[in-house]
Amino acid sequence: MDQYVRLGWESGYAPADLFAGFGALVAARRDELDDLRAHEPDDSGTRWDTHPPLSERLAALTAAPRMAAPLITRPAAMLLADIAEAGRALQQVAIDSGERALLPWPELTAAALAAQLQREADAIFRVIARTTGRPAAGPADVVDSIAAGQLTTIAQPFFPTATRREVGPLFAEPLETLLRLAALRSGVARWWHSWSGPAEFRGVRGDELPLGKIATLAVTPGGLQAALAELAALGVDVRRAAPADTAPSTFGSAVVGGLANVRADGVEHDLFVLTTGLVLVANPGKSDNGRQRMRDLLGTTTAVSLAERNRFVAFEEIESARIGKQIPLDAELVLYGGATLRLRERWSSDELDDDSRKRLVSLLENV
């Protein structure tokens, strides 16, 4: 679920045959499973466990008397006339895919990773747009900046602790992400699904594409035109790496904390701390039931919906944060573009949990 389903699920896709995928995974990872069986877990358990430790149960099975019946090694799937059809039928009644597009496994992996690659590229373009003062940035802006000798300028925000001499070569990594998107959108490359390991980004005929080497060449002084020529020879059109979303993404957001009845620029809000930014919910109500109010709200919506329906301040939009006091919190956030946001917690403010303020302070200190 973690490695093969979740990313596609969150991107709007679901496997057309979930259970067959699990069977394929087991077959492809047989060596890993054998290794797990060879190293029994060392778990002593606690008095509160509902079952004996797994090691004790395995030992009990091993010590059970041998039966005289012959050992049958045929797979249990033999008991079903058509296990593939049975799996698909089970999925229809056991898995609610909602409005997600049902795709065969190779297509699901390709679609999910393509969507992830686009989000990564969009985040890079947004940083470059803020750095150059443009409302939006695209691949042409990146090429033009490098050609104009402004590589250090656009690269520095990605590596704030690096020296000016170091940031140019380091920019090869985000540039490779953009080149991958260009190759994908040019029809030159794709993601190749694998049950035995991570999916691989290769050419459409399975060949390796030297995009990392080309990105390194592009950020080498005088190497941009040679890099563009190599891309053209591969059939990669850099202009195809167009941004899709100029607004900060809430994809994959999760709530990690909350403070009730916080004044944001003088107006009271409930403040929710997400992994991707801050959500300000206006007109929160009285401060004497803030914790329960926030929990009730989270019980009826998702982190992404919460961000979409209320004011959302992404961490990537915060240029700097000055924390005057931690308890009660008093912080001033400076946003890119010059706007500021003052957050002032009341002494009577509730926390969503006992570590919410601590998490918020830690996130702001690392902006």
Side-chain angles (χ1 to χ4, degrees), residues 37-109:
R37 294 188 188 97
H39 298 84
E40 293 183 4
D42 181 17
D43 52 344
S44 57
T46 71
R47 61 182 297 184
W48 307 111
D49 291 344
T50 58
H51 294 74
L54 181 59
S55 55
E56 288 186 19
R57 285 181 277 163
L58 290 173
L61 287 171
T62 302
R66 297 289 180 180
M67 303 299 292
L71 180 64
I72 300 174
T73 58
R74 290 176 297 168
M78 297 286 292
L79 297 172
L80 297 173
D82 188 340
I83 191 173
E85 179 57 33
R88 288 189 291 269
L90 177 60
Q91 180 173 342
Q92 290 181 2
V93 297
I95 307 295
D96 182 8
S97 299
E99 299 298 318
R100 293 174 179 82
L102 298 179
L103 299 176
W105 280 105
E107 295 178 24
L108 172 72
T109 297

Side-chain angles (χ1 to χ4, degrees), residues 256-262 270-273 287-295 298 326-329 345-361:
V256 295
L259 295 174
N261 301 94
V262 173
D270 279 348
L271 172 65
F272 289 89
V273 185
S287 61
D288 56 356
N289 66 337
R291 174 173 290 191
Q292 189 58 50
R293 182 178 62 240
M294 290 188 292
R295 289 179 175 178
L298 292 178
Q326 293 191 13
I327 304 176
L329 180 67
E345 181 189 7
R346 296 170 52 166
W347 279 107
S348 58
S349 295
D350 280 348
E351 295 182 76
L352 182 63
D353 61 40
D354 294 340
D355 292 322
S356 287
R357 184 187 301 104
K358 184 186 302 183
R359 292 192 198 100
L360 174 57
V361 170

Side-chain angles (χ1 to χ4, degrees), residues 245-295:
D245 193 351
T246 57
S249 175
T250 58
F251 181 86
S253 294
V255 177
V256 295
L259 295 174
N261 301 94
V262 173
R263 290 188 177 275
D265 289 339
V267 180
E268 206 157 89
H269 296 75
D270 279 348
L271 172 65
F272 289 89
V273 185
L274 274 57
T275 50
T276 52
L278 308 176
V279 175
L280 296 163
V281 179
N283 304 314
K286 296 181 179 180
S287 61
D288 56 356
N289 66 337
R291 174 173 290 191
Q292 189 58 50
R293 182 178 62 240
M294 290 188 292
R295 289 179 175 178

Side-chain angles (χ1 to χ4, degrees), residues 168-180 183 201 208-220 227 230-231 234 236:
L170 289 173
F171 189 70
E173 181 179 347
L175 181 58
E176 183 181 359
T177 297
L178 303 183
L179 296 185
R180 283 190 169 202
F201 188 80
E208 290 191 25
L209 297 177
L211 298 180
K213 293 176 60 177
I214 295 175
T216 299
L217 176 61
V219 298
T220 301
E230 289 195 26
L231 290 171
L234 291 172
V236 177

